[in-house]
Amino acid sequence: MRKGNRISIRRIQRDDASAIYNIFSKSEVCDFYDLSPFNDLSQAVDQIEGWLRNYEHGRQVRYAICKDEEVIGTC
């Protein structure tokens, strides 16, 4: 695999909580979502758990957008 500036997607994982917190703690990001900016890491953990639960029940698929394996967003 070639390194450098590679964008990929993969399923969200519980280990992504810190990256998800860093993204969703910014008001400029949350302006485009139906949620308030996170102010605690536990909110990111809860969000990920919800996404995974919805996936298990066939209601939603949430992917991590990664740049060189660092989570930079979701879709």
Side-chain angles (χ1 to χ4, degrees), residues 13-53:
Q13 304 169 22
R14 287 173 180 87
D15 292 343
D16 294 328
S18 180
I20 296 300
Y21 173 77
N22 288 335
I23 293 166
F24 288 100
S25 64
K26 297 178 176 129
S27 61
E28 61 269 20
V29 172
C30 292
D31 285 347
F32 298 97
Y33 289 87
D34 188 22
L35 56 92
S36 298
F38 293 168
N39 55 25
D40 190 85
L41 181 62
S42 66
Q43 292 171 286
V45 171
D46 292 344
Q47 184 68 59
I48 290 170
E49 290 297 330
W51 288 333
L52 295 175
R53 228 180 356 267

